[in-house]
Amino acid sequence: MSLCTDVAATFTSRLGLSADGVWSAPGRVNLIGEHTDYNAGLCLPIALPQRTYVAARRRLDRRLRLWSGQADEPVDVQLDEVAPGHPGGWGSYVSGVLWALEEVGHPVGGLDLVVDSEVPVGAGLSSSAALECAVASAVADLFELDLTADDGGRAALAAVCVNAENTIAQAPTGGMDQAAAMRSREGHALLLDCRDGSVEHVPFEPETRGLALLVVDTRAEHSLVDGQYAERRASCEQAARELGVTSLREVPAEQLQEALTRLDDPVVRARTRHVVSEIARVEQSVEALRRWRIRELGEIFDASHASMRDDFEISCPELDLAVDTARAHGAVGARMTGGGFGGSAIALVPWGDEDEVGEAVVEAFEDAGFRTPRYFAVDASGPAGRDA
Ligand code: ADP
Ligand code: MG
């Protein structure tokens, strides 16, 4: 809770007035179901204990004044000047939320807002959605939009945040991150069906089964990431077109082999194999989780990593090394998570072995000459909301 108190204190010392309140939203890590969201598929994220906090005060005009503990420059922009690419930088993620709310007919206004966060930025743990969703919760409450009380309202807010990120921040994002931040439940993974936006809450408390979920932030940064994301999306759309379906979700796993024979391009074939098999692996994981068949879940994680490495080609040497090392040191299963080309990996490890496995990864990175990774164990935490 201390960051919550800190951000309120920072607000007061900057503005000489107290904030109307403090809101927060979590980062997320996806258990399984990668690059499935834009294929109308399934994914299974959990909300992280790490959160982004905002202290905010409503203004009577339409000016937005924004500060963040994670950004050097404050932002000062009129709401009516917010547009694709403007104000640019981190201010687009915040002001885009207000812009996107007005796009769907919710009148809002100016704000003074201070951000502080414990979600690692750019680690594939979705600091961007944590920021958007914390802001969306604040704005919804401050302007009395009646969108935070039930899952329908929260789903609408998540969609607003996706639009803010796509249109104003001009970053491609498929919808999983914002759903995880807005709609998760503590102690549960969120089974999100991206075809219709429906969710199910699947109990996920590894510690009750003698396990821990370890996140390894590889801190690997690779260029060309955006181009790669667009290329993968385009391949999936091409496959769907050639197969005569609206999305790859419409290809059942049992018909995958037959579908592959109808695709000429070997790369498009491999991309399709990943997406269709990954959606099936999400379903298998949910089954394994409901019965707590841990060994099975581990095998599914491993198969998912191989599929992303070999067929979707979104892994990188750091992610592969993190996954292989975790497994060699007792992880039941491990896989890269998030968009790829860097970011984080997850490993299900025996409870109590988190540091041993984490240190083994640190050592392996040192031997390989990679940047020192960070690691931490996480629980499935709660969604965006008001803290004070
Ligand atoms: P991630 O995987 O962390 O979501 P993104 O590239 O999608 O990575 O989003 C990171 C961007 O989001 C940052 O470059 C910054 O513009 C914005 N951002 C996220 N968290 C904060 C924060 N606490 N303060 C300011 N900007 C933030
Ligand atoms: Mg992001």
Side-chain angles (χ1 to χ4, degrees), residues 34-318:
E34 231 64 73
H35 287 261
T36 53
D37 56 357
Y38 57 81
N39 287 296
L42 302 170
C43 52
L44 190 67
I46 61 167
L48 293 177
Q50 288 87 349
R51 301 176 76 87
T52 295
Y53 292 84
V54 302
R57 184 180 177 99
R58 192 174 159 168
R59 294 176 59 93
L60 297 174
D61 57 12
R62 288 174 61 79
R63 186 177 177 190
L64 301 171
R65 293 196 301 169
L66 318 170
W67 293 265
S68 169
Q70 286 68 52
D72 293 333
E73 292 297 320
V75 174
D76 190 342
V77 66
Q78 291 292 334
L79 184 47
D80 299 307
E81 288 165 5
V82 175
H86 188 80
W90 75 276
S92 285
Y93 292 87
V94 176
S95 58
V97 171
L98 290 106
W99 174 90
L101 278 166
E102 292 205 323
E103 281 291 296
V104 289
H106 294 293
V108 297
L111 279 182
D112 290 327
L113 184 136
V114 174
V115 181
D116 210 348
S117 178
E118 51 204 19
V119 183
V121 175
L125 302 174
S126 205
S127 66
S128 57
L131 177 58
E132 292 148 13
C133 293
V135 170
S137 303
V139 175
D141 285 350
L142 286 174
F143 293 92
E144 296 168 7
L145 303 181
D146 195 21
L147 288 171
T148 50
D150 61 14
D151 187 62
R154 288 171 162 274
L157 278 183
V160 158
C161 292
V162 172
N163 192 18
E165 184 156 344
N166 286 335
T167 309
I168 303 301
Q170 299 184 302
T173 179
M176 164 172 66
D177 304 350
Q178 293 78 7
M182 285 306 314
R183 303 172 70 190
S184 289
R185 188 179 290 171
E186 198 178 340
H188 294 74
L190 185 78
L191 173 61
L192 172 65
D193 186 332
C194 301
R195 180 157 56 188
D196 58 8
S198 62
V199 297
E200 260 179 70
H201 302 279
V202 182
F204 183 73
E205 290 180 304
E207 64 282 9
T208 64
R209 306 287 161 155
L211 292 167
L213 186 70
L214 189 68
V215 175
V216 178
D217 169 10
T218 65
R219 301 176 73 209
E221 282 168 16
H222 293 272
S223 51
L224 298 174
V225 174
D226 293 351
Q228 295 283 350
Y229 183 92
E231 191 272 339
R232 296 303 182 283
R233 252 183 119 134
S235 291
C236 294
E237 283 159 15
Q238 182 185 337
R241 250 191 332 272
E242 289 181 15
L243 294 170
V245 290
T246 50
S247 73
L248 288 180
R249 175 66 181 284
E250 308 308 317
V251 180
E254 314 81 73
Q255 287 167 27
L256 174 61
Q257 288 312 320
E258 184 275 328
L260 293 178
T261 64
R262 290 193 280 136
L263 296 169
D264 293 330
D265 184 338
V267 171
V268 172
R269 254 196 325 263
R271 305 295 191 245
T272 304
R273 189 160 52 224
H274 166 70
V275 171
V276 175
S277 65
E278 183 80 351
I279 292 169
R281 280 188 292 271
V282 176
E283 289 173 326
Q284 292 157 8
S285 298
V286 168
E287 269 309 296
L289 269 179
R290 291 202 196 279
R291 294 157 203 261
W292 271 105
R293 293 189 173 147
I294 294 309
R295 206 161 292 283
E296 207 174 299
L297 187 64
E299 282 165 13
I300 301 167
F301 275 22
D302 294 351
S304 171
H305 186 77
S307 176
M308 291 187 283
R309 183 188 59 211
D310 303 335
D311 279 344
F312 221 61
E313 297 183 282
I314 52 172
S315 191
C316 64
E318 292 88 345

